[in-house]
């Protein structure tokens, strides 16, 4: 009797933690119990020697999910007859491939063919957020890896010159509310932008008229100075480029957002109250961000398909 009760309770717990779409929080608990631990360790040891990789890992997950769903299409290498997403100009700020490869190799040694590259990317992004000081959260696992990766699909990524209404539209096509879009933009609390992504804002800098009123004058000079070093010169999004905090939103309030697609969130009366809210209340930003990340990690997830042996090529 007691034994049966235990079984019923265990079954109920397993049912409860099962998420939608065949994904679940404890997907690897039987098949690869060390999976979470191995990935977290790979991420932590890489970020200890290079904290700037955190931004790269989060962007990798975003870029992966926005194109063809979260299926590690971003990791596939180009072949003789196919140019992959990876080789699009949108790849500029993608970094951290080696972290994924390291984790994958250890996982293949422990439990071959079990943990998908798509799940590794999703967990690595989650662990990078936490390492950098952001919220801790669990994500459903069980994604399968995709077999398509085409450079032309990267047009589905939001370009840095988008204004707020264009961003709202593009994110809503992926099922996100305006508030979730603003929260996900807060991923820019980590990392840098390159001059090539914001020089559009400087073109009126030298003329005495028609200067973009949404940029602080001093900050405009800072951006111009950065660009003196060329298209690849880097500008941090906020004052704490390796710390996950709400400083990004404070920068927007000071009219010191780097990209058009950053500052527009403050300019647009529809999104401004959300920016102000996150700037004032970091806990609220963290709460919304983690929920939006979990949602992002479920975009067009493939429940069937392959687990790549090597994240760089299909089996
Ligand atoms: C990004 O794409 C360029 C070509 O546009 C390619 O030369 C470069 O190797 C790619 N970078 C990465 C990190 O894949
Ligand atoms: C945003 O850009 C689109 C396309 O360029 C334009 O039609 C729209 O008016 C812009 N919205 C705002 C608020 O500037």
């Amino acid at each position: 009797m007691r034994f049966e009760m235990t079984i019923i309770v265990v079954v109920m717990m397993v049912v409860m933690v099962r998420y939608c779409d065949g994904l679940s929080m404890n997907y690897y608990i039987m098949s690869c119990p060390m999976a979470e631990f191995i990935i977290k360790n790979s991420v932590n040891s890489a970020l200890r020697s290079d904290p700037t990789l955190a931004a790269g890992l989060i962007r990798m997950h975003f870029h992966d999910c926005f194109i063809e769903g979260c299926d590690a299409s971003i990791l596939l290498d180009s072949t003789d007859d196919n140019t992959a997403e990876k080789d699009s100009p949108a790849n500029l700020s993608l970094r951290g491939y080696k972290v994924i490869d390291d984790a994958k190799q250890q996982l293949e040694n422990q439990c071959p063919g079990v943990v998908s590259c798509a799940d590794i990317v999703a967990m690595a992004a989650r662990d990078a957020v936490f390492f950098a000081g952001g919220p801790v959260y669990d994500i459903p696992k069980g994604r399968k890896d995709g077999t398509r990766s085409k450079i032309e699909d990267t047009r589905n990524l939001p370009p840095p010159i988008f204004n707020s209404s264009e961003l709202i539209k593009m994110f809503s096509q992926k099922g996100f509310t305006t508030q979730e879009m603003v929260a996900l933009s807060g991923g820019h609390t980590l990392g840098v932008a390159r001059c090539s992504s914001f020089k559009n804002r400087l073109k009126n800098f030298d003329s005495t008229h028609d200067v973009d009123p949404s940029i602080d004058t001093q900050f405009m000079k800072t951006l111009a100075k950065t660009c003196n070093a060329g298209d690849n010169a880097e500008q941090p999004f906020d004052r704490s480029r390796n710390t996950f905090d709400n400083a990004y939103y404070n920068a927007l309030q000071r009219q010191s957002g780097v990209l058009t697609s950053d500052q527009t969130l403050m300019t647009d009366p529809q999104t401004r109250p959300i920016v102000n809210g996150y700037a004032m209340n970091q806990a609220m930003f963290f709460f919304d961000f983690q929920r939006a990340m979990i949602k992002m990690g479920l975009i067009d997830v493939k429940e069937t398909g392959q687990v790549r042996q090597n994240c760089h090529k299909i089996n």
Side-chain angles (χ1 to χ4, degrees):
M1 183 64 196
R2 217 194 168 95
F3 179 65
E4 278 168 16
M5 284 283 288
T6 312
I7 295 207
I8 289 169
V9 169
V10 168
V11 167
M12 274 172 55
M13 280 167 59
V14 170
V15 168
M16 275 162 60
V17 293
R18 273 190 77 83
Y19 216 77
C20 56
D21 300 346
L23 270 64
S24 74
M25 294 298 186
N26 58 356
Y27 190 85
Y28 294 115
I29 201 152
M30 302 303 280
S31 54
C32 197
M34 297 291 276
E36 299 253 356
F37 179 78
I38 288 172
I39 294 165
K40 190 179 281 295
N41 259 354
S42 295
V43 170
N44 287 359
S45 71
L47 294 189
R48 266 194 296 271
S49 50
D50 182 2
T52 68
L53 285 174
L57 288 169
I58 295 168
R59 183 164 169 80
M60 184 184 287
H61 181 40
F62 169 72
H63 185 130
D64 183 31
C65 293
F66 252 63
I67 301 165
E68 281 286 302
C70 316
D71 66 349
S73 52
I74 185 61
L75 300 179
L76 288 173
D77 288 340
S78 292
T79 56
D80 285 345
D81 51 7
N82 182 50
T83 307
E85 286 168 32
K86 201 185 243 186
D87 286 321
S88 143
N91 73 10
L92 271 177
S93 46
L94 288 178
R95 298 170 61 234
Y97 292 107
K98 199 174 164 296
V99 183
I100 307 294
D101 290 342
D102 284 351
K104 179 63 173 173
Q105 196 175 357
Q106 290 179 55
L107 290 165
E108 286 301 299
N109 291 342
Q110 286 260 332
C111 18
V114 171
V115 184
S116 68
C117 300
D119 275 348
I120 300 175
V121 171
M123 285 189 263
R126 186 264 321 261
D127 295 339
V129 168
F130 181 61
F131 182 93
V136 61
Y137 54 96
D138 199 3
I139 55 169
K141 286 145 294 248
R143 297 165 188 78
K144 294 290 184 269
D145 295 327
T147 51
R148 173 194 167 101
S149 178
K150 295 204 173 292
I151 187 170
E152 56 268 26
D153 292 342
T154 53
R155 63 169 176 263
N156 295 324
L157 289 172
I161 55 164
F162 259 19
N163 67 27
S164 177
S165 29
E166 293 167 303
L167 290 169
I168 291 171
K169 182 154 173 258
M170 183 171 251
F171 277 76
S172 77
Q173 284 161 355
K174 301 282 178 192
F176 291 106
T177 64
T178 299
Q179 180 144 343
E180 287 166 342
M181 181 276 285
V182 177
L184 286 174
S185 301
H188 280 176
T189 178
L190 299 175
V192 297
R194 295 182 191 247
C195 170
S196 52
S197 308
F198 57 81
K199 66 180 178 186
N200 64 302
R201 306 183 74 197
L202 303 172
K203 59 179 183 284
N204 299 318
F205 183 51
D206 290 328
S207 64
T208 48
H209 59 283
D210 201 23
V211 165
D212 183 348
S214 73
I215 317 183
D216 174 79
T217 317
Q218 279 309 314
F219 191 67
M220 175 91 94
K221 289 179 185 159
T222 304
L223 292 183
K225 203 169 148 207
T226 299
C227 281
N228 285 341
D231 269 6
N232 278 333
E234 296 177 344
Q235 176 69 42
F237 285 110
D238 67 22
R239 288 169 175 172
S240 49
R241 60 174 283 188
N242 293 328
T243 306
F244 196 100
D245 55 20
N246 64 345
Y248 166 77
Y249 299 103
N250 291 301
L252 301 187
Q253 288 182 316
R254 290 192 310 272
Q255 298 189 299
S256 302
V258 177
L259 306 175
T260 301
S261 58
D262 294 319
Q263 194 59 51
T264 185
L265 303 176
M266 188 65 195
T267 316
D268 181 355
Q270 230 188 310
T271 47
R272 187 187 306 143
I274 310 170
V275 170
N276 287 333
Y278 292 157
M280 198 163 62
N281 186 343
Q282 178 166 279
M284 185 166 91
F285 163 50
F286 279 17
F287 184 75
D288 286 356
F289 181 82
Q290 68 183 50
R291 299 218 312 185
M293 284 293 277
I294 292 168
K295 187 166 172 179
M296 188 178 85
L298 295 172
I299 296 177
D300 294 333
V301 158
K302 296 171 179 62
E303 290 169 57
T304 55
Q306 59 177 247
V307 168
R308 275 178 225 147
Q309 276 155 17
N310 173 345
C311 292
H312 292 256
K313 44 184 192 236
I314 56 182
N315 292 346

